[in-house]
Amino acid sequence: NNLQTSDAASLNTQVDRSRTITVQFDANLRNELPWSFRPLTKSMQVHPGQLVNVVYEVKNASDSDLFGQAIPSYGPQVAGRYFKKLECFCFTRQSFAPHEKRRMPVVFVVDPKVPKDLNTITLSYTFFEVEGNGS
């Protein structure tokens, strides 16, 4: 194991290889943002406890600087309790230069305590435009 953080290392020892959960990835835009936003992976099979890395791509299609904040949601809603994000572009407001395209990672673990009858989880992000910092 080459994991650096003790949290990730302790989570990694709890991989439940007897179970597989389908995780689906979705992306939405609000306020008619002039962006494109998509997951590079539509869905994947993961074991509870497995450290997973996926990437979303965002492009600012406008001629202006834009600021956005991504808000995650889960389907079914209860899945949010078992979906542990270790790294996510949703943790902070994002700024994009005109026509900037960026790939942004999400690193997560599905908690091994996830209910046995939960076989599919959808992670959906909605990007909202937010005010700039006024500078």
Side-chain angles (χ1 to χ4, degrees):
N1 288 346
N2 296 19
L3 298 169
Q4 300 302 311
T5 67
S6 58
D7 281 353
S10 66
L11 286 168
N12 199 43
T13 60
Q14 302 169 6
V15 175
D16 181 353
R17 299 201 182 282
S18 70
R19 296 180 61 200
T20 302
I21 294 177
T22 301
V23 180
Q24 301 171 327
F25 304 97
D26 184 42
N28 302 284
L29 296 168
R30 280 288 158 84
N31 306 339
E32 299 177 19
L33 271 175
W35 293 5
S36 61
F37 177 44
R38 66 187 181 101
L40 297 186
T41 305
K42 294 286 187 204
S43 74
M44 64 183 1
Q45 303 290 313
V46 304
H47 297 296
Q50 172 187 358
L51 195 63
V52 181
N53 188 349
V54 296
V55 176
Y56 277 74
E57 184 178 84
V58 179
K59 180 172 191 244
N60 175 1
S62 80
D63 294 324
S64 331
D65 290 334
L66 288 174
F67 299 87
Q69 177 79 46
I71 307 296
S73 61
Y74 305 91
Q77 196 170 358
V78 67
R81 288 187 217 157
Y82 304 97
F83 206 94
K84 310 296 181 201
K85 291 186 294 301
L86 305 179
E87 181 183 336
C88 182
F89 58 88
C90 63
F91 293 162
T92 57
R93 187 185 65 167
Q94 302 292 323
S95 62
F96 292 88
H99 303 284
E100 179 181 357
K101 183 170 165 181
R102 189 184 312 156
R103 290 187 170 182
M104 301 183 300
V106 179
V107 179
F108 68 89
V109 172
V110 175
D111 191 312
K113 296 183 190 89
V114 65
K116 298 281 187 226
D117 62 349
L118 190 55
N119 300 312
T120 302
I121 296 173
T122 301
L123 171 62
S124 181
Y125 285 104
T126 301
F127 241 116
F128 294 86
E129 185 171 6
V130 294
E131 292 300 315
N133 59 13
S135 59

